[in-house]
Amino acid sequence: MTTTALALAKVRNIGIMAHIDAGKTTTAERILYFTGVSHRIGEVHDGAAALDYMKQERDRGITITSAATTCHWAVEGDGHTINLIDTPGHVDFTIEVERCLRVLDGAVAVFDGVAGVEPQSETVWRQADRYGVPRVCFVNKLDRAGADYHRCAAMIRERLGAVALVVQLPIGSEAGFAGVVDLVSMRAHVWPDGRHTVVDVPAGLAEDARRWRRTLVETVAEHDEQVMALYLDGAEPSEEQLHAAIRRLTVASAATPVLCGSAFKNKGVQPLLDAVVRYLPSPLDVQDVSDEAPLSALAFKVMTGRHLGRFTFVRIYSGRLVSGATVLNSVKGRKERIGKIYRVHADKRVEIESAGAGDIVAVMGLKQTTTGETLCDAAHPVVLESMDFPAPVIEVAIEPRSRGDVEKLGAAVHRLSEEDPSFQVRDEDGQTVIGGMGELHLEVLVDRLKEEFHVEANVGRPRVAYRETVRRAVERVDLTHRKQTGGKGQYAKVQLSLEPIEDGYEFVNRVTGGRIPKEFIPSVDAGCQEALRTGFLAGYEMTGVRVVLTDGDFHPVDSSELAFKIAGSLAVKEAVRRASPVLLEPVMTVEVTTPEEHLGAVIGDLNGRRGRVEGTGERSGARVIRALVPLAEMFGYVGDLRGMTSGRGVFTMQFATHAEVPPATAAKIIGS
């Protein structure tokens, strides 16, 4: 193994992901403390967490933007580097999780030991599945009343479909939680007086520990041939063999180790770090990387610092990124010059001259590169898989208060939309309309406009970001655009068909024989897209449409890109008019937790909001209702729920799908 490969084998690029309030940032803060990065523990509830460095995060006690840092941890004297990203848990900021998982090699999924698998837990788990990210689970908050480790492990199996490898047992429960038993080494980790100590398994837990270790070995044997061979021979795998087998299964995403602890009480974090090093992959396990290979890197996040200006987070997959070098943005076909390169700890940066394969760094000087684009060696162009970003579900209109604020607002929303691909901006009747993933998302963005960019603006009430689509296909529309103005005229003829698809927009060119010159085809596409952006019923963007260009004609003098753009726009408008256009609304997955005595009132209220109850369950002595409810019916729900449940009900909500608006409701929206 080369020197570079040896170094990369000791690197872990990981993220911490969870439902909001599972203790994710507290776990990350303890990792920083026990690895020596921080010399004091920052508490989220005090607004002192090092990784929650934005004012908006400290004011609200939640993570809004993913924060990166680097720490070091040794297992049995073997040192490793951990590049750690703490991601948000609130559903409004799920795009932060999405783009971080795209560039990470592994993840720690944190679960609340009382609540277990919660809605956003499922969302981030599916995101990790989509990008093939191996993970370990950490069942947190076992010191709380009602915490149940085994129930949480069962939920990980049942709800998430994971092969959960229980590698630890808790010592004590709730207020008596004292430590963990490691089922691989059959030793106990305890923290008397705050000191991490490894001791024999307590006598009262010895039988339970032996039984759970047998279950662990049997589960590993079912999925690993080497342990299966030992098992069939009646041999007990050694500690090293079992660690190696768990690592193989974890790296292959065939199984997931489950650990436990209480980050707030400083119990279980050191064994979790051991598991990160032992079980999660290095860059070499994910793909063949080398500093000697041509450069390939992915820009996964853009940020604007008040003092440093614009910088871009980059994950390097091969080659070296060198300050002052020129690289190719292969998506845009443009060259970029690398300015300064930084290693990052939250909002602090340390300048370095270069970075190699496996590194995650921040880069200054990239003027045209945005989220999801590839940087590479111009002599060896490559395009890495990008990311898909969800469309906004909620909007507000915003108006600058003075003429001086107009220019500042334009610049500010441009910079924020560069940072956050789920934040969109459009003009509507002279107003600026901003769209995002929820009320909190927009509230934070508006707060940043005022705090960071000093824009004074009047903000309207939140409203639903509807969409439009078509319900039937139109086989043929012929349209000729002809205009004569005395000089050179305009001429373009297009023939197209239109059909509904599941989502998004597609343009298919089936013109043959040069009936439309190739240079005019993109103009037809551009005209179609421009027409679909403003919809046809109530001015909302149209989605779920495939346009097929089948034929056309041109004039050698009067045809132009503009003529074909206009023709495409007019033709697709006529096609949509014939295709039974309908209005779509965002529908949310809503999970409500309420005391038993208020169950009927809550279900009745959800039904009255055009909701569809999909099921009920029980969690920690309370009832849990899962329903699909249109977003338009959920404004003000937090206050209504408190009133119905004497302040004891809570709910979470996340986007599920778009659905057709009922005709009577649609008529009101279109007429408003």
Side-chain angles (χ1 to χ4, degrees), residues 369-382:
T369 299
T370 56
T371 300
E373 295 179 348
T374 302
L375 299 173
C376 62
D377 186 335
H380 301 87
V382 63

Side-chain angles (χ1 to χ4, degrees), residues 296-324:
S296 66
L298 187 76
F300 68 96
K301 181 173 179 174
V302 176
M303 286 195 73
T304 304
R306 183 174 291 181
H307 304 296
L308 277 176
R310 186 180 190 270
F311 56 97
T312 307
F313 282 92
V314 173
R315 163 69 195 265
I316 304 168
Y317 287 95
S318 64
R320 290 199 72 79
L321 196 65
V322 180
S323 180

